[in-house]
Amino acid sequence: MRFRTKWIQSVLFASMFLFVFLVSMTVFTPAGASAAVLTADEQQMLDLVNEARDAAGLPALVCDATLSGLAKIKAQDLASSNYFSHNSPTYGSAFDMMRKAGVRYRFAGENLAKASSVSSSFEALMAASSHRTNILSSGFDRVGVGIITQGNYKVVVQMFTGGQKTTTVSRATPADRSPAVSGLNADEQAMFNLVNQERSRAGLEPLQIDMTLVKVARLKGQDMINNGYFSHTSPTYGSPFDMMKTYGVQYSYAGENLAGASTVQSAHSNLMKSSGHRANILNASYTKVGIGVVSGGSYGKMFVQLFVKPASTRPAPPQEPAQPQEPAQPQQPQPQEPAQPQQPKPQEPAQPQQPAPSPTVSGLNADEQAMFNMVNQERSKAGLQPLQIDMTLVKVARLKGQDMINNGYFSHTSPTYGSPFDMMKTYGVQYRYAGENLAGASTVQSAHSNLMNSSGHRANILNASYTKAGIGVVSGGPYGKMFVQLFTG
């Protein structure tokens, strides 16, 4: 097993009747936190945690409403997206989630578990030194607990923080370069202004508000709050493309940005720092937008931006588009060494091997082979085993790339095939771990560089749990080529 500093992952198996997965992660970084309504399972877990702390002579943790909301969202994401990792394909890391929700902390950590009962989850966590360290850390004073039942198992998420700092967020008042639109609320108008200011700086035409898209965006925002999720795929309406079709929106290209934040300025800043979301905002092909801002949920407000190029619109003059990556996660803060280390020492990684091209694989096109070589070179530099090509995954990756071009979208969720995990199941791919990277670019090198510059995508490429890959590169679409990487282990 490979250990990374501040990142401990372990998998435990206990008896034939108890199947438990555990992951523990702790980081110490500069960064504020409120009591929560818990289910019976969550209350039981909280009681067990605080009983253990009391036995160790430590003060009880306060159950924080925001952290519990985030933990529930993460638990639901683990269950619905069929993965088990600190790095969510939807939200990024726990620290990304906390940052988006406005949580300020000095210390933070996350425990994940999956077991047949709350008590067995807790016992397994306490039996693992790194997970026990989080539960019994004197640096933590708040906790959020989220538990989702998935079949015969409980999916458990614990989020811890300590050293909270309070900050006052001032609302920015940028110059109003977009005309006031009747029917928008103040937050929606402010975000519309910010979007068009960014486009003006980039020399692009301003977007026009489409009130049907506004309606759809508000429905999506309210649905995320009502159903406690944060994803492009709604359990009520399906994908954003399904929603647009349902409400009669005709388009040749379409995209969606989602953000959760306490203010318009914070949401906008986070979107512009993410290459994939920035690419939507600065996409020259889009001419109309709908913005919905709904108050509520763990983040304070939900922000939904829907972009379209109507089917009847003449194509914009060709120009080099911004490079998208889906979903582009904010970079994780650089962890600082704690004054009193609590984390077990990491194991020495294997000696890096001299990067060498992967053997030529029959059936890959030139771009796919080139990208496969680059992926394995990165893994070699990190001391990881090379991935093996799986031609079934290659087939699925190509289908996904072509589908994005044909249907004018850029998302993990296909209106034709569903999620990448749905596609893998449809084509008989068996896996324990799985992931997907998407990029749009004119060259292999550009796509690879963008993926490696994004912490979430880089984590997939350098995940030691993955052993197989499928790479599909399809020419077409607004970016020149679509790149799809599928990983399994």
Side-chain angles (χ1 to χ4, degrees):
M1 180 176 295
R2 179 179 172 82
F3 290 81
R4 295 176 184 273
T5 306
K6 310 298 182 294
W7 186 287
I8 302 295
Q9 177 165 326
S10 56
V11 180
L12 304 181
F13 298 87
S15 85
M16 62 184 297
F17 298 106
L18 175 61
F19 180 44
V20 184
F21 290 103
L22 298 176
V23 182
S24 173
M25 172 173 58
T26 305
V27 73
F28 299 85
T29 180
S34 51
V37 178
L38 302 180
T39 66
D41 283 344
E42 291 161 352
Q43 185 64 55
Q44 180 185 354
M45 178 62 77
L46 176 64
D47 292 342
L48 290 169
V49 167
N50 279 333
E51 287 169 9
R53 289 177 65 87
D54 182 65
L58 296 168
L61 297 174
V62 174
C63 189
D64 183 90
T66 300
L67 290 177
S68 288
L70 296 176
K72 291 176 184 180
I73 289 172
K74 176 65 174 285
Q76 184 61 62
D77 188 52
L78 289 167
S80 61
S81 296
N82 197 27
Y83 73 98
F84 198 81
S85 168
H86 289 301
N87 194 58
S88 160
T90 312
Y91 313 113
S93 71
F95 314 111
D96 294 331
M97 294 182 72
M98 292 181 198
R99 191 183 311 111
K100 290 176 183 177
V103 177
R104 304 282 295 176
Y105 57 84
R106 185 180 176 196
F107 308 106
E110 179 185 66
N111 281 351
L112 308 180
K114 184 176 181 182
S116 58
S117 68
V118 173
S119 59
S120 60
S121 296
F122 179 76
E123 289 168 3
L125 288 167
M126 290 297 289
S129 61
S130 56
H131 308 82
R132 179 185 178 92
T133 295
N134 273 344
I135 291 170
L136 300 182
S137 172
S138 60
F140 295 144
D141 51 33
R142 298 177 190 255
V143 68
V145 180
I147 300 179
I148 297 293
T149 300
Q150 182 185 31
N152 296 324
Y153 297 102
K154 306 286 185 182
V155 179
V156 179
V157 178
Q158 299 171 337
M159 291 188 178
F160 306 87
T161 63
Q164 278 64 233
K165 297 180 180 180
T166 57
T167 59
T168 301
V169 180
S170 58
R171 186 180 297 274
T173 55
D176 186 356
R177 297 188 183 180
S178 298
V181 178
S182 175
L184 296 186
N185 64 37
D187 283 340
E188 292 163 348
Q189 181 69 53
M191 178 159 272
F192 180 47
N193 295 345
L194 291 171
V195 165
N196 274 339
Q197 286 168 19
E198 298 291 351
R199 290 177 67 87
S200 175
R201 293 187 192 110
L204 299 173
E205 289 295 315
L207 298 174
Q208 303 299 313
I209 280 287
D210 182 303
M211 290 309 295
T212 302
L213 289 175
V214 171
K215 174 183 177 180
V216 174
R218 289 172 178 169
L219 287 172
K220 175 65 174 286
Q222 190 64 59
D223 188 57
M224 288 193 290
I225 293 170
N226 293 347
N227 291 294
Y229 72 96
F230 190 82
S231 171
H232 290 301
T233 303
S234 160
T236 309
Y237 304 108
S239 74
F241 315 110
D242 295 331
M243 291 189 74
M244 292 182 198
K245 291 174 185 175
T246 298
Y247 288 90
V249 177
Q250 301 293 318
Y251 61 86
S252 55
Y253 295 106
E256 178 185 66
N257 281 349
L258 305 178
S262 57
T263 68
V264 174
Q265 185 61 54
S266 176
H268 178 72
S269 296
N270 287 335
L271 290 171
M272 288 301 293
K273 290 175 183 176
S274 162
S275 60
H277 303 89
R278 179 185 179 93
N280 274 339
I281 291 170
L282 300 182
N283 190 322
S285 295
Y286 294 142
T287 59
K288 294 189 177 182
V289 68
I291 295 174
V293 182
V294 185
S295 296
S298 302
Y299 304 108
K301 295 177 182 179
M302 286 292 191
F303 298 79
V304 180
Q305 299 174 337
L306 295 174
F307 305 88
V308 299
K309 173 187 174 182
S312 59
T313 300
R314 293 175 60 86
Q319 53 184 293
E320 187 67 20
Q323 304 299 331
Q325 297 165 21
E326 172 71 22
Q329 302 294 346
Q331 295 293 319
Q332 186 166 321
Q334 197 66 25
Q336 299 177 0
E337 194 66 25
Q340 296 180 345
Q342 303 169 359
Q343 198 73 344
K345 283 189 175 182
Q347 296 180 357
E348 189 69 20
Q351 291 298 320
Q353 302 171 1
Q354 188 67 23
S358 302
T360 301
V361 179
S362 175
L364 296 186
N365 65 36
D367 283 341
E368 292 163 348
Q369 181 69 52
M371 178 161 272
F372 181 48
N373 293 345
M374 290 178 183
V375 166
N376 274 339
Q377 286 168 14
E378 297 291 350
R379 291 176 66 87
S380 177
K381 292 173 191 172
L384 299 172
Q385 290 296 313
L387 297 174
Q388 302 299 313
I389 279 289
D390 182 307
M391 290 308 295
T392 302
L393 289 176
V394 171
K395 174 183 177 181
V396 174
R398 290 171 178 168
L399 287 171
K400 176 64 175 286
Q402 190 64 58
D403 188 58
M404 288 193 290
I405 293 170
N406 293 347
N407 290 294
Y409 72 95
F410 191 81
S411 169
H412 288 300
T413 303
S414 160
T416 309
Y417 304 108
S419 74
F421 314 110
D422 294 331
M423 292 189 74
M424 291 182 198
K425 291 174 185 175
T426 298
Y427 287 91
V429 176
Q430 301 293 318
Y431 61 86
R432 187 174 175 191
Y433 305 101
E436 179 185 65
N437 281 349
L438 305 179
S442 57
T443 67
V444 175
Q445 184 60 60
S446 176
H448 177 73
S449 296
N450 287 331
L451 291 170
M452 288 300 293
N453 287 332
S454 164
S455 59
H457 304 87
R458 180 185 178 92
N460 272 340
I461 291 170
L462 300 182
N463 190 324
S465 297
Y466 294 143
T467 58
K468 295 184 178 182
I471 295 174
V473 182
V474 185
S475 295
Y479 311 111
K481 295 178 181 179
M482 287 291 191
F483 297 81
V484 180
Q485 298 174 338
L486 296 174
F487 307 91
T488 62

